[in-house]
Amino acid sequence: MRKPRLLVLAAAVVVSVTCLGGAATADSAGERMYTPTTPNESNAYARVIRLQHAGELNGRLLATFEHWYDDGSPAEFIIRASDDDGATWSTLATVPDAQTGPGHPVSRMWQPFLFEFPRKLGGYPAGTLLLVGNTVPADAAVTEFFLWRSTDHGSTWDPVGVLQRGGTFGRGIWEPFLTLDARDRLLMYFADERDAPRHSQMIVHVVSTDGGDTWGPVVRDVASAVAADRPGMPTVTRMGPNGKFVLAYEVCGRPHCEIRLKESADGSRWSKPEDLGVRPETSDGRYLGHSPYVTWLPTGPKSGQLVLAGQRVFSVVGDGTVGEDYRAVFLSDRVQGPWSWAPAPWRVSNASSRCNANYSPHLMADGPPGLLRLTAPTSLDSSGPCGEATGTAFVGLLPYSSDFAGKGEAGWNTYGGCWAVEGDVYVESCGGGIGAKALTGSTGWRDYTVSADVQITSSGGNAGVLARVTDPGVGADSHHGYHAFFDVNTQQLVIARQEYAYVPLASVPIVGGARSGEWYRLTFTVDGSKLSASLTPAGGGEVTKVSVTDPYDSFPHGLVGLRHHAGTASYRNVTVTPGR
């Protein structure tokens, strides 16, 4: 069920804008998809599709989102379109309440979902669009899923009618999601409170075999044996063209409405409803809470990975938030795991208490293998309503090559410091003794080589690259992982381990010395327990090498990163290549 907005926002943490020692603030902010036109507006719960069966309009992005007015004025869904991969957007259509009579036009239109027919369904050809949303009058006397159809790729919308009707809060219906099952039947999943008090809330679905004109009976998919549990907010994906189906949902009544998964061979028959499925947890103890979205992200012609997002990120120890809160996605090639996490394509801002930031973030594969689009409500300032933003980055894909000039900080998370992109250079300008770091990749990466051009821009200090990083935080040594760096004070090339403490493993003098203000190519290879690094002046010169074996193989997998200490530094041309 939709959460009361003020209760959700009461726990929001305002993002710090200080550089030294504060919350990381430099991650990409995404591209604006919609900016409120008045302070009276509220927005949340965005959904995006890319047209694939629209002739000359193929490739156009269409988006919509929850949209209402705080003074109770009539609500409508806004359909936004982009023909330049999300860089700019315009309003293609507005879709108002189509019903009349008592309670209409409604003041709340919630939980929209867009769906393009990939083939003929019933009497409707491929390319037909459906829009379904939850219409709720001012007195909240009913909740109704209303359906609209477009036969001109979103320019106009014809009302179809009410698909499901529920009661008020506590007896309502919520969060419709449309998909096809393995038999190409159209399914609508949703959260259902109508069996309360026996089940406070369930996840159910209905089936249409005629393109959405008529729907079959309600089928239960998740219905906890504990009456107070509240499974809700379902999303479904298929693991490739012929793979299994995955259902993601939250279970409120558990810590932070923890997110769980189930799988199905055909997309319509799941394990027994009392089975609450799997709670994904990463190896460094993260789990997701509130309003999930799951998608399948191809990583090659015959490979891919599940990508799972939620509104918040929590620690399994103490159930508190972690540094990746609002800015991480989970990755795995199967429901049972193992699960890793990666920086989200861009960082959602929760700076405004009026914005239910990252509520039901939307994910979709959008381009070449590994490219993920995230769309979500985000704060535009410290006090106003949500805007809607979107953006892409390659997520968890090897090999990796930075494109700071083209993509900015997309796909990077920063921990401490003041980071910014200048051309194709990633610059950190605050420095100090905090060990500022920026991370990308996946906590699931194992054997690889990370290389970067590194320049120490202060008079002293050290800088280098990180490998196999997990459990990061703001602080000089606040992560688990390995560090290869050069120091212009000691004139040493060093390999060290960091586990919220610093332990040097090996060091050698730099051949020819190293100086501030000059670029050096630093390469760091992690191959099982074998660690090796090399340093070369960017313009050419003698190579310094160091290697060591970690007898404990302390960190078998993790992210890559850039990190410096006791000064400032710049980085460019970051590459990561997989090991054997």
Side-chain angles (χ1 to χ4, degrees):
M1 173 185 149
R2 179 184 179 84
K3 303 172 189 65
R5 185 164 64 99
L6 293 179
L7 291 180
V8 174
L9 295 177
V13 179
V14 175
V15 176
S16 169
V17 296
T18 58
C19 289
L20 294 178
T25 59
D27 316 47
S28 171
E31 301 288 344
R32 298 277 180 91
M33 187 259 284
Y34 181 77
T35 300
T37 58
T38 73
N40 185 39
E41 285 186 63
S42 289
N43 311 285
Y45 201 104
R47 294 293 182 261
V48 181
I49 60 173
R50 187 181 287 275
L51 298 182
Q52 300 181 56
H53 306 277
E56 63 182 13
L57 294 178
N58 277 351
R60 169 176 283 181
L61 290 169
L62 292 186
T64 192
F65 43 90
E66 290 187 346
H67 179 255
W68 70 96
Y69 297 96
D70 297 339
D71 65 4
S73 298
E76 73 273 329
F77 289 132
I78 299 173
I79 309 297
R80 301 280 281 174
S82 174
D83 292 314
D84 56 8
D85 289 328
T88 61
W89 295 81
S90 60
T91 296
L92 182 65
T94 57
V95 184
D97 181 9
Q99 299 188 77
T100 59
H104 297 281
V106 296
S107 58
R108 288 169 281 193
M109 293 174 65
W110 286 339
Q111 301 141 15
F113 194 84
L114 287 168
F115 185 78
E116 182 187 36
F117 285 11
R119 57 188 61 83
K120 182 180 179 182
L121 298 176
Y124 304 100
T128 300
L129 297 180
L130 296 183
L131 167 65
V132 61
N134 200 354
T135 57
V136 184
D139 62 2
V142 295
T143 47
E144 294 180 323
F145 294 160
F146 196 90
L147 183 69
W148 295 263
R149 181 180 289 113
S150 176
T151 57
D152 58 7
H153 312 298
S155 294
T156 62
W157 294 86
D158 298 320
V160 177
V162 175
L163 307 185
Q164 289 282 320
R165 180 175 286 108
T168 185
F169 290 91
R171 300 283 293 182
I173 53 175
W174 314 96
E175 303 119 20
F177 184 98
L178 299 175
T179 190
L180 297 184
D181 70 2
R183 290 180 281 174
D184 285 340
R185 301 183 304 167
L186 182 62
L187 274 61
M188 180 173 69
Y189 284 88
F190 58 98
D192 192 344
E193 297 176 320
R194 293 173 296 187
D195 194 45
R198 286 179 297 177
H199 295 96
S200 176
Q201 185 166 270
M202 306 178 295
I203 293 172
V204 302
H205 76 266
V206 292
V207 178
S208 175
T209 57
D210 56 13
D213 287 338
T214 61
W215 298 81
V218 170
V219 178
R220 296 183 179 184
D221 301 300
V222 187
S224 176
V226 177
D229 279 347
R230 297 181 54 79
M233 305 199 76
T235 63
V236 178
T237 195
R238 191 172 192 180
M239 298 172 64
N242 302 304
K244 291 184 177 180
F245 292 78
V246 177
L247 170 66
Y249 49 95
E250 65 181 18
V251 182
C252 293
R254 306 298 175 98
H256 301 297
C257 296
E258 65 185 31
I259 291 171
R260 289 178 171 262
L261 302 173
K262 295 175 78 167
E263 61 183 4
S264 164
D266 64 4
S268 62
R269 292 172 293 184
W270 307 85
S271 60
K272 61 183 181 179
E274 294 80 10
D275 177 13
L276 293 184
V278 174
R279 185 176 91 163
E281 298 178 4
T282 66
S283 60
D284 53 352
R286 273 72 169 147
Y287 72 93
L288 293 168
H290 306 288
S291 62
Y293 204 97
V294 66
T295 196
W296 178 252
L297 183 66
T299 55
K302 296 182 179 180
S303 61
Q305 57 188 352
L306 288 168
V307 184
L308 178 66
Q311 184 180 29
R312 308 295 300 272
V313 187
F314 299 95
S315 171
V316 298
V317 179
D319 294 313
T321 57
V322 293
E324 297 74 53
D325 197 20
Y326 293 103
R327 55 181 186 143
V329 295
F330 281 23
L331 310 174
S332 182
D333 59 5
R334 58 195 183 100
V335 166
Q336 293 78 15
W339 286 87
S340 59
W341 67 263
W346 57 279
R347 180 182 184 156
V348 173
S349 169
N350 66 322
S352 172
S353 62
R354 287 192 58 203
C355 176
N356 196 357
N358 211 34
Y359 180 66
S360 192
H362 181 265
L363 301 175
M364 61 183 279
D366 196 30
L371 190 66
L372 179 74
R373 178 173 295 277
L374 166 69
T375 308
T378 186
S379 301
L380 303 180
D381 54 39
S382 61
S383 61
C386 288
E388 302 290 339
T390 190
T392 61
F394 288 96
V395 174
L397 184 68
L398 284 171
Y400 171 85
S401 180
S402 64
D403 181 16
F404 295 124
K407 298 292 291 183
E409 296 162 295
W412 288 79
N413 281 0
T414 59
Y415 297 79
C418 301
W419 295 82
V421 170
E422 298 178 3
D424 201 28
V425 179
Y426 206 9
V427 176
E428 197 288 304
S429 58
C430 287
I434 60 172
K437 54 184 172 280
L439 303 176
T440 194
S442 166
T443 59
W445 286 0
R446 290 186 173 273
D447 293 340
Y448 52 80
T449 296
V450 53
S451 300
D453 293 341
V454 183
Q455 180 188 66
I456 294 175
T457 54
S458 51
S459 60
N462 61 67
V465 295
L466 297 166
R468 292 182 179 167
V469 174
T470 59
D471 195 25
V474 176
D477 303 304
S478 297
H479 56 271
H480 297 172
Y482 297 111
H483 186 25
F485 64 92
F486 66 98
D487 192 308
V488 295
N489 296 332
T490 65
Q491 292 293 305
Q492 297 281 310
L493 175 63
V494 182
I495 295 176
R497 68 187 299 275
Q498 291 164 294
E499 193 172 11
Y500 287 77
Y502 171 79
V503 178
L505 298 178
S507 62
V508 296
I510 299 171
V511 178
R515 289 163 291 279
S516 298
E518 297 188 10
W519 287 101
Y520 295 87
R521 188 68 176 172
L522 179 59
T523 297
F524 188 23
T525 298
V526 288
D527 180 8
S529 60
K530 299 176 182 178
L531 316 173
S532 59
S534 65
L535 185 72
T536 309
E542 294 188 79
V543 181
T544 304
K545 297 182 178 181
V546 62
S547 61
V548 68
T549 297
D550 179 356
Y552 300 104
D553 195 14
S554 305
F555 311 116
H557 51 78
L559 300 142
V560 301
L562 312 171
R563 189 258 192 194
H564 52 273
H565 183 66
T568 57
S570 296
Y571 308 85
R572 67 187 185 191
N573 300 327
V574 182
T575 62
V576 189
T577 56
R580 294 172 296 174

